[in-house]
Amino acid sequence: MCLAQLRYLIDQNPEKNCRGLLSYFENEISKWPSAKIVRSHEADPLSEVLNQFKNNECNPLIEKARYASLMWKMRNSAVHEFRRPGMGFPMSEDDSTPYYHQMSYNNKQSTRELFIPAEVISSLVKKSATRLRTVCETLGKNPYDSFDWGSSWFSD
């Protein structure tokens, strides 16, 4: 769960009844050291922590801020817009995990920006492929049996 992105979503949706969640964010983010990279595993709450704040209005925002949703957003931005979402950029020698960095712009506003290194994506893809292969071998399934093969690029 990306705390900073959930904070931005709540800011963009002030009509939502997420005051308790907003107070939680303010408290948690204020603990982050300034001018230091903060790793996602150090900063982001587990889903269980957010259960106390779930309601019909906050749930869609919480789902959007999950890393699975953010990775899909990142994929879409890369494929369709040829860019990364957000304003995060590489600042660390250690690209093994997502991280936040503080950023100020126009000498006015300071934000916490999420950066997900390409190495994280590559690692997830490799692990997923290895696990999929193990499952297919264990079940005796050939994933190619699920596809209709032919010259046409279009399926019904």
Side-chain angles (χ1 to χ4, degrees), residues 38-49:
V38 179
R39 299 283 165 182
S40 60
H41 64 273
E42 300 169 320
D44 292 328
L46 297 175
S47 295
E48 295 81 36
V49 173

Side-chain angles (χ1 to χ4, degrees), residues 71 95-98 115-125:
M71 299 289 265
D95 286 338
S96 63
T97 64
F115 182 74
I116 302 176
E119 289 79 359
V120 171
I121 308 293
S122 178
S123 175
L124 288 171
V125 169

Side-chain angles (χ1 to χ4, degrees), residues 3 20 25 48 103-105 112 125:
L3 193 62
F25 289 142
E48 295 81 36
M103 185 171 171
S104 297
Y105 53 95
R112 299 293 182 144
V125 169

